[in-house]
Amino acid sequence: MSQDKIDIKDVTPKTFNPKTHKTQGDRFNPSNRIYVRESKGTYQLLRRYGGWFLLLLFALIPWIPFGERQAILLDIGNQQFNFFGTTLYPQDLTLLATLLVIAAFGLFFITTFLGRVWCGYLCPQTVWTFIYIWFEEKLEGNANKRRKQDSGKLTRSLVLRKSLKHLAWFAIALATGFTFTGYFVPIRELVVEFFTFESSFWPVFWVMFFAICTYGNAGWMRSIMCIHMCPYARFQSAMFDKDTFIVGYDSKRGEARGPRSRKADHKALGLGDCIDCNLCVQVCPTGIDIRDGLQYECINCGACIDACDQTMDKMGYEKGLISYTTEHRLSGKSTKVMRPKLLGYGAVLLLITGLFFIQIASVDPAGMNVLRDRSQLYRENSSGEIENTYTLKIINKTQQTQQYQLSVTGLEDVSWYGKNTVTVAPGEVLTLPMSLGMQADNLSSPVSTIQFILSDSEQFTLSVESRFIKKL
Ligand code: SF4
Ligand code: SF4
């Protein structure tokens, strides 16, 4: 081969159709496995460093203390969700629902603007898959070597390297399982109890469950998850328009594709800028050929852009044959970034985010539920009063022990039977049975509306409505 030519090897799997550049048949079949070639370049660096940063954040957050507790702890068992000193209870679920709506609209906004950038750079499936591929590459060699090894004989060295790879994969999976479970149970206790065999069944179950999911998804399933299982991949096209940034191949510039010498005047040969080196396909984690146009399998990772830019560099052509672009730009029209759909998603996102902060600011430091005794509407006590029985449930949502005063309004000369001052520990739900008594003559109607008042030493007051029923 002349020195002027780029060495192009046919490394496509046997099931690969060179005409369509697509793997034929069942993707779940191991013989159709995608051997992803490592790619280097600006977008890969961005993804690598971005991925490491997010991983670090994910791994460190459960270890950050705040006061006497974990800064973020979604304690489902005790129905308490702690976020840096603010504790939310099932009563505050609207806040969590608002958070989910914010996440959904954030995703709509970013997808309309930048396509599947979430999938390519931020989705845990992608981040973990690229880490697993990195280990595969380091222990078993590059994609070509791996493909050759896997179709050849199993040697002792290969068994050793494969075992090391699976060991590394499982160690990462186990660390992921611990970290993820550590968002739901205190992580320090979880680790200590796990390694001293003192842990109860469920924390161990969830650590192993998430570890096995990570190992299976990032090690074996990879793009199958993105293509066949992820619901987001299915509905994201509804958010796309012709001004959405996608990874696109400039076919006007690239076609007709074909190999040529570096020094050749390819225009005179009737060729476009694509030298058909196939690198863009080899680096693609989902195994597609972006030259076939926008495909739902594309996760916008930019690996093919970096690979193609390197080829363009070597050939002395302008970079950007594959680039982040829009359908409008590819068809020679201008891209309209500010458009009604994007502005609409942005406005709703801002509105709901504002609402969320208002909700956060108005979260009460305490909560109270009043339950009337339904088995007995009223009774007459030894003092001749009409007595109604209630159960008060008082929740201390702060991080300190609190003393609360309790009273009732809406009735004159009412007798309070039971404690009217209570001390409640942080996060505790105190159940207080009590009753109210009234002389029947002082009650003007059979049913009176009353307000139970809870107040603390810091001027916080909470009022909960209930009823007082007298003999008809
Ligand atoms: S086509 Fe390019 S951007 Fe899309 S998934 Fe494959 S490598 Fe990533
Ligand atoms: S688009 Fe670029 S990377 Fe892909 S085959 Fe053509 S020259 Fe090679």
Side-chain angles (χ1 to χ4, degrees):
M1 188 169 283
S2 137
Q3 277 195 330
D4 288 330
K5 283 194 175 172
I6 285 195
D7 187 20
I8 301 164
K9 289 186 198 115
D10 181 12
V11 289
T12 50
K14 298 228 168 1
T15 48
F16 193 82
N17 182 338
K19 275 198 183 142
T20 62
H21 290 266
K22 281 197 170 149
T23 308
Q24 296 166 343
D26 179 12
R27 275 178 193 269
F28 291 91
N29 184 338
S31 65
N32 285 346
R33 195 164 169 212
I34 299 166
Y35 288 85
V36 185
R37 181 178 174 142
E38 195 190 16
S39 105
K40 293 193 172 99
T42 317
Y43 295 112
Q44 301 326 294
L45 276 183
L46 189 66
R47 195 184 41 226
R48 182 169 302 166
Y49 290 125
W52 281 121
F53 173 73
L54 291 175
L55 259 182
L56 212 65
L57 218 59
F58 167 74
L60 289 182
I61 284 176
W63 295 94
I64 301 173
F66 197 92
E68 287 172 14
R69 294 187 192 178
Q70 211 167 291
I72 293 185
L73 182 64
L74 310 173
D75 188 349
I76 293 174
N78 292 315
Q79 303 190 347
Q80 294 176 12
F81 309 101
N82 301 299
F83 299 95
F84 293 93
T86 302
T87 307
L88 303 179
Y89 293 85
Q91 296 90 324
D92 304 310
L93 265 183
T94 48
L95 260 174
L96 294 176
T98 313
L99 211 58
L100 287 179
V101 176
I102 291 174
F105 272 91
L107 206 59
F108 296 164
F109 179 80
I110 205 106
T111 307
T112 305
F113 185 29
L114 297 172
R116 288 182 73 179
V117 76
W118 158 264
C119 303
Y121 292 83
L122 304 170
C123 176
Q125 176 69 21
T126 309
V127 174
W128 263 257
T129 296
F130 274 92
I131 293 171
Y132 273 45
I133 290 176
W134 185 84
F135 273 98
E136 200 164 54
E137 184 104 16
K138 295 296 160 220
L139 290 162
E140 285 187 41
N142 63 30
N144 285 342
K145 195 172 167 192
R146 295 202 302 274
R147 185 179 293 114
K148 225 181 267 171
Q149 282 170 170
D150 285 354
S151 55
K153 268 207 332 219
L154 208 58
T155 63
R156 193 178 292 176
S157 134
L158 186 58
V159 170
L160 182 71
R161 282 180 286 124
K162 276 193 182 292
S163 307
L164 282 176
K165 176 186 83 174
H166 286 289
L167 209 65
W169 280 5
F170 200 74
I172 298 169
L174 201 60
T176 307
F178 267 117
T179 309
F180 195 69
T181 310
Y183 280 81
F184 299 91
V185 289
I187 196 161
R188 284 178 168 79
E189 292 161 33
L190 175 72
V191 172
V192 172
E193 287 173 4
F194 188 89
F195 288 106
T196 51
F197 303 102
E198 282 173 11
S199 194
S200 51
F201 171 76
W202 284 110
V204 177
F205 170 83
W206 287 116
V207 168
M208 296 315 289
F209 175 79
F210 290 122
I212 290 166
C213 286
T214 307
Y215 177 78
N217 284 344
W220 296 94
M221 302 289 279
R222 296 190 178 170
S223 60
I224 293 170
M225 272 302 278
C226 309
I227 296 165
H228 297 283
M229 293 176 178
C230 176
Y232 174 55
R234 300 281 157 184
F235 71 76
Q236 39 109 18
S237 56
M239 288 164 248
F240 276 36
D241 58 31
K242 291 189 185 303
D243 291 308
T244 298
F245 281 90
I246 49 162
V247 171
Y249 164 71
D250 187 348
S251 58
K252 282 199 197 99
R253 185 185 144 189
E255 302 297 316
R257 65 185 79 158
R260 78 290 308 264
S261 131
R262 271 196 192 110
K263 285 180 185 158
D265 180 357
H266 63 289
K267 298 252 160 61
L269 294 171
L271 290 171
D273 283 357
C274 175
I275 67 165
D276 211 11
C277 64
N278 225 17
L279 278 181
C280 51
V281 183
Q282 293 171 33
V283 298
C284 178
T286 62
I288 58 166
D289 187 343
I290 196 63
R291 292 173 298 173
D292 294 341
L294 178 62
Q295 292 146 78
Y296 79 93
E297 291 100 330
C298 176
I299 57 167
N300 258 22
C301 70
C304 54
I305 301 179
D306 285 333
C308 189
D309 279 351
Q310 279 173 19
T311 302
M312 294 294 107
D313 255 358
K314 282 184 191 157
M315 295 300 291
Y317 301 163
E318 196 190 332
K319 288 182 185 178
L321 178 57
I322 302 177
S323 64
Y324 281 109
T325 184
T326 65
E327 280 194 71
H328 268 153
R329 196 175 287 167
L330 282 174
S331 59
K333 296 180 188 153
S334 60
T335 295
K336 205 171 165 195
V337 176
M338 292 297 168
R339 50 203 194 274
K341 191 159 133 184
L342 188 67
L343 292 174
Y345 283 141
V348 177
L349 184 61
L350 280 179
L351 205 74
I352 301 172
T353 309
L355 188 74
F356 176 74
F357 283 110
I358 293 171
Q359 278 181 306
I360 281 273
S362 54
V363 169
D364 291 335
M368 179 166 68
N369 272 345
V370 178
L371 308 168
R372 280 195 90 262
D373 182 359
R374 295 196 182 275
S375 59
Q376 192 180 28
L377 286 181
Y378 61 86
R379 69 186 182 94
E380 220 169 307
N381 65 19
S382 52
S383 318
E385 288 175 324
I386 301 293
E387 197 174 307
N388 281 205
T389 306
Y390 306 85
T391 302
L392 310 186
K393 285 194 180 281
I394 299 157
I395 308 169
N396 175 5
K397 296 183 183 181
T398 69
Q399 308 276 322
Q400 297 82 34
T401 300
Q402 297 286 347
Q403 199 172 62
Y404 300 111
Q405 271 71 51
L406 298 159
S407 56
V408 69
T409 60
L411 292 174
E412 294 290 324
D413 300 325
V414 66
S415 311
W416 182 287
Y417 296 108
K419 285 186 188 171
N420 60 2
T421 302
V422 289
T423 303
V424 187
E428 186 191 346
V429 181
L430 182 101
T431 302
L432 178 71
M434 52 77 61
S435 52
L436 297 176
M438 279 287 292
Q439 290 299 333
D441 297 347
N442 293 342
L443 289 163
S444 51
S445 63
V447 179
S448 309
T449 301
I450 54 171
Q451 304 285 336
F452 280 90
I453 311 289
L454 174 145
S455 54
D456 67 9
S457 53
E458 285 165 23
Q459 326 272 286
F460 168 74
T461 306
L462 182 71
S463 128
V464 179
E465 190 177 290
S466 189
R467 302 270 181 277
F468 187 93
I469 298 175
K470 81 163 182 177
K471 191 158 94 181
L472 297 172

